[in-house]
């Protein structure tokens, strides 16, 4: 997308609406001046042109403006049928352990992160089938060009190497890195995290690690939120809080715009319910 002097249409109206201008749909000199001023206050080059970067920030700001006004309400999970798998909603409703998820903000933050990390609840195991190029880009500490070629498309060897000697895992030869790879909707890794969850759930997920992927993908994610004190960031719907939650879970800001949009979708549906 590129909007500049002479552009016309609905997208121009959206920009003008966000800038509290008259929605003429015509990108005039006044519109360009207002865009420049907005860019300057949002860390962008003030050229007055709405390109991909400016448009992206405008969208996030607009979503944030909408959701930041929302407050706590009690929710029934069934209001999200059709966009969240029904069996997950039934788990949340039927199990008193999920007490935090009776609150709309908490539930929507939680489901947002679970959905994004698991490909919309379709994956419960970490995908470690990397190409040589992917290994060097993702794990440069562990793979040079020669080593990457040797390990490429061998998930067991890759996991055993990159997770060796940490999180209470043994060395590469032990295979602990593969045994205790990321599982569940948020994919905690490492033997120590499997032990902590086993103590919580009172079932031996150290001896039977696949339980986290098959039986407890949702519960392990809930436990992760609790142990990392993430709930304190779920009391507000601002994009800043979504950033904080994302950083704890992802280690960075990967997919932030998509996470905000997903949160907005869940919350809008919850309000309609």
């Amino acid at each position: 997308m590129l909007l500049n002097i002479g552009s016309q249409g609905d997208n121009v109206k959206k920009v003008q609406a966000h800038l509290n201008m008259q929605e003429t749909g015509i990108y005039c000199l006044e519109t360009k001046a207002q865009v420049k001023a907005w860019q300057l206050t949002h860390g962008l080059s003030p050229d007055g042109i709405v390109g991909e970067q400016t448009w992206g920030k405008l969208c996030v700001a607009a979503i944030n403006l909408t959701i930041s006004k929302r407050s706590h309400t009690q929710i029934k999970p069934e209001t999200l049928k059709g966009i969240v798998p029904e069996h997950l909603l039934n788990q949340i409703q039927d199990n008193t352990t999920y007490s935090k998820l009776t609150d709309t903000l908490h539930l929507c933050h939680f489901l947002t992160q679970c959905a994004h990390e698991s490909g919309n609840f379709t994956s419960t195991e970490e995908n470690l089938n990397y190409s040589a190029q992917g290994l060097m880009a993702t794990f440069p500490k562990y793979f040079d060009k020669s080593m990457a070629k040797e390990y490429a498309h061998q998930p067991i060897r890759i996991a055993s190497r990159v997770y060796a000697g940490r999180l209470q895992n043994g060395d590469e030869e032990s295979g602990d890195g593969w045994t205790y790879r990321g599982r569940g909707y948020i994919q905690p890794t490492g033997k120590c995290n499997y032990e902590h969850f086993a103590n919580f759930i009172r079932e031996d997920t150290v001896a039977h690690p696949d339980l986290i992927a098959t039986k407890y993908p949702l519960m392990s994610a809930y436990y992760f939120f609790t142990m990392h004190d993430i709930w304190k960031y779920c009391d507000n719907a601002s994009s800043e809080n979504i950033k904080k939650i994302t950083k704890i879970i992802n280690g960075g800001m990967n997919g932030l715009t998509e996470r905000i949009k997903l949160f907005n979708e869940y919350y809008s549906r919850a309000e309609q319910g």
Side-chain angles (χ1 to χ4, degrees):
M1 171 178 293
L2 188 67
L3 300 178
N4 201 351
I5 295 294
S7 298
Q8 298 184 32
D10 289 340
N11 285 330
V12 176
K13 287 184 179 181
K14 290 177 183 178
V15 172
Q16 291 169 330
H18 181 74
L19 298 175
N20 295 316
M21 298 178 64
Q22 183 180 359
E23 297 172 39
T24 64
I26 300 172
Y27 205 103
C28 58
L29 288 173
E30 183 184 358
T31 302
K32 186 164 187 173
Q34 291 292 334
V35 169
K36 279 186 176 182
W38 189 90
Q39 289 171 324
L40 191 61
T41 60
H42 288 79
L44 298 169
S45 177
D47 57 9
I49 299 171
V50 178
E52 183 177 351
Q53 191 173 19
T54 297
W55 182 257
K57 281 203 171 187
L58 278 166
C59 288
V60 171
I63 292 168
N64 184 41
L65 180 63
T66 300
I67 65 178
S68 64
K69 298 176 181 178
R70 294 172 176 157
S71 58
H72 290 278
T73 55
Q74 296 296 303
I75 185 174
K76 293 183 178 180
E78 61 264 26
T79 61
L80 297 176
K81 283 183 180 179
I83 57 174
V84 175
E86 189 169 349
H87 72 278
L88 298 182
L89 298 175
N90 290 338
Q91 284 183 49
I92 292 169
Q93 192 167 18
D94 296 341
N95 192 326
T96 57
T97 302
Y98 297 113
S99 58
K100 290 282 188 182
L101 301 184
T102 59
D103 178 272
T104 304
L105 282 170
H106 288 186
L107 180 65
C108 291
H109 275 299
F110 176 73
L111 290 176
T112 291
Q113 298 295 334
C114 287
H116 193 276
E117 291 293 317
S118 66
N120 199 27
F121 305 105
T122 61
S123 175
T124 59
E125 291 191 28
E126 182 178 8
N127 181 5
L128 288 151
N129 187 22
Y130 288 91
S131 65
Q133 185 176 2
L135 286 173
M136 289 187 289
T138 309
F139 305 111
K141 179 179 177 181
Y142 300 98
F143 297 99
D144 57 21
K145 187 173 182 179
S146 175
M147 189 72 73
K149 287 183 178 180
E150 179 185 341
Y151 279 72
H153 300 296
Q154 299 181 67
I156 295 176
R157 294 188 68 197
I158 292 169
S160 297
R161 180 172 178 79
V162 299
Y163 294 133
R166 56 195 181 101
L167 302 170
Q168 292 184 10
N169 288 344
D171 60 18
E172 184 174 349
E173 294 301 316
S174 73
D176 282 353
W178 173 253
T179 301
Y180 304 112
R181 63 192 181 278
R183 291 184 176 89
Y185 289 135
I186 292 185
Q187 300 186 353
T189 59
K191 187 175 182 179
C192 64
N193 288 315
Y194 278 66
E195 287 180 343
H196 294 158
F197 184 67
N199 292 333
F200 167 74
I201 203 68
R202 297 186 179 180
E203 194 160 351
D204 195 351
T205 53
V206 176
H208 306 285
D210 282 332
L211 285 172
I212 292 181
T214 58
K215 187 176 180 179
Y216 297 118
L218 189 71
M219 182 63 76
S220 62
Y222 187 87
Y223 177 75
F224 185 95
F225 263 65
T226 300
M227 293 306 296
H228 288 81
D229 199 20
I230 295 175
W231 299 117
K232 65 184 179 183
Y233 299 121
C234 298
D235 290 336
N236 187 289
S238 72
S239 63
E240 287 304 311
N241 278 33
I242 296 175
K243 285 181 182 179
K244 291 174 183 177
I245 296 169
T246 298
K247 188 170 184 180
I248 294 171
I249 292 172
N250 179 259
M253 293 294 111
N254 180 50
L256 178 63
T257 300
E258 289 76 13
R259 292 173 204 256
I260 292 174
K261 289 180 180 178
L262 189 57
F263 178 91
N264 195 47
E265 180 184 1
Y266 287 151
Y267 213 123
S268 295
R269 177 65 72 87
E271 287 183 327
Q272 291 172 10

